[in-house]
Amino acid sequence: KAGVTQTPRYLIKTRGQQVTLSCSPISGHRSVSWYQQTPGQGLQFLFEYFSETQRNKGNFPGRFSGRQFSNSRSEMNVSTLELGDSALYLCASSSGWQAATYEQYFGPGTRLTVT
Amino acid sequence: GQQVMQIPQYQHVQEGEDFTTYCNSSTTLSNIQWYKQRPGGHPVFLIQLVKSGEVKKQKRLTFQFGEAKKNSSLHITATQTTDVGTYFCAVGSYSGAGSYQLTFGKGTKLSVIP
């Protein structure tokens, strides 16, 4: 089985712009979660989708949004980028309906740099 | 939301020495997962523990869940250079907004000196 794929792998944006990141889960997985990883804050939960519905949302401002499509692929969007949004954005898929109780398979991540 | 403390933050060991990282919570946990992230890589699932006092082994790795389900440890016997990376614990928890999410510890970065 192919693993979780994320595109693009690297991205450089300027403050005020918006960005869309994409994630394709492992075939058959309907749960997709997104995490932000920074040296200072570590791995932080952004949101979780299951069957096109957002099931859980982390403590991030409304500039961070996401969605999931009928084929389980997911996108996350960050609007009005700030310097502090520079991070590695990781997508993870799981076979269960509640991500926190099932093994998470992570993708390679998208490295976002905001200048 | 749930706070989980992971110690130590860094650990440098000589190849062949043992290594242990601990994860502690002030509240009872439903489950705990362990992940390993190699430098430049992404987290890879190692194991999930759900039962009080549970002990699981994977070759040189031993995982324990405390009797009170408030702490957990990962022990590596006779470290090798392939063990280098950051080890994270992650727990399922409800956030202040009622969202049930996976909360990660800050991780223990392991360096192995050959």
Side-chain angles (χ1 to χ4, degrees):
Chain A
K1 265 188 185 177
V4 177
T5 58
Q6 291 187 245
T7 56
R9 293 291 311 279
Y10 302 91
L11 207 48
I12 300 175
K13 292 284 189 179
T14 56
R15 276 179 298 176
Q17 288 186 314
Q18 75 164 16
V19 67
T20 299
L21 311 181
S22 181
C23 170
S24 292
I26 289 173
S27 177
H29 285 189
R30 289 172 18 195
S31 173
V32 173
S33 299
W34 288 88
Y35 298 85
Q36 182 195 64
Q37 186 174 32
T38 60
Q41 298 300 317
L43 268 160
Q44 292 187 285
F45 171 76
L46 279 158
F47 21 68
E48 173 192 347
Y49 289 88
F50 183 81
S51 292
E52 302 179 68
T53 301
Q54 186 179 87
R55 289 187 48 84
N56 293 300
K57 189 176 191 303
N59 190 26
F60 277 81
R63 300 185 296 106
F64 292 81
S65 63
R67 57 178 176 167
Q68 186 180 33
F69 302 95
S70 58
N71 61 359
S72 294
R73 192 177 69 83
S74 178
E75 288 182 347
M76 67 163 280
N77 184 278
V78 188
S79 62
T80 320
L81 284 165
E82 300 177 0
L83 294 178
D85 296 333
S86 294
L88 180 66
Y89 289 88
L90 291 159
C91 165
S93 72
S94 67
S95 59
W97 64 274
Q98 189 172 60
T101 56
Y102 287 84
E103 174 179 351
Q104 297 286 293
Y105 293 84
F106 282 84
T110 294
R111 173 74 62 186
L112 172 65
T113 302
V114 182
T115 62
Chain B
Q2 173 74 45
Q3 296 275 346
V4 57
M5 296 297 296
Q6 195 173 348
I7 55 171
Q9 193 175 356
Y10 302 95
Q11 186 80 59
H12 305 276
V13 300
Q14 203 75 36
E15 189 173 16
E17 291 183 338
D18 292 355
F19 159 77
T20 305
T21 174
Y22 301 89
C23 202
N24 300 305
S25 168
S26 58
T27 59
T28 304
L29 303 171
S30 300
N31 63 310
I32 189 164
Q33 298 179 356
W34 286 92
Y35 291 82
K36 175 185 178 181
Q37 185 173 22
R38 287 200 162 97
H42 55 274
V44 174
F45 176 83
L46 294 175
I47 206 131
Q48 173 167 262
L49 306 173
V50 297
K51 297 178 183 177
S52 167
E54 191 169 14
V55 178
K56 287 188 175 181
K57 293 190 176 184
Q58 290 178 353
K59 296 183 180 177
R60 295 180 294 105
L61 277 60
T62 301
F63 304 84
Q64 289 190 307
F65 204 3
E67 293 291 340
K69 299 180 73 174
K70 288 185 176 182
N71 56 71
S72 180
S73 64
L74 157 58
H75 179 85
I76 302 178
T77 304
T79 54
Q80 300 174 358
T81 54
T82 53
D83 296 324
V84 164
T86 302
Y87 293 84
F88 295 96
C89 63
V91 302
S93 64
Y94 285 99
S95 71
S99 167
Y100 193 71
Q101 62 196 52
L102 204 56
T103 299
F104 281 79
K106 293 290 188 188
T108 296
K109 189 173 182 178
L110 173 65
S111 301
V112 178
I113 306 161

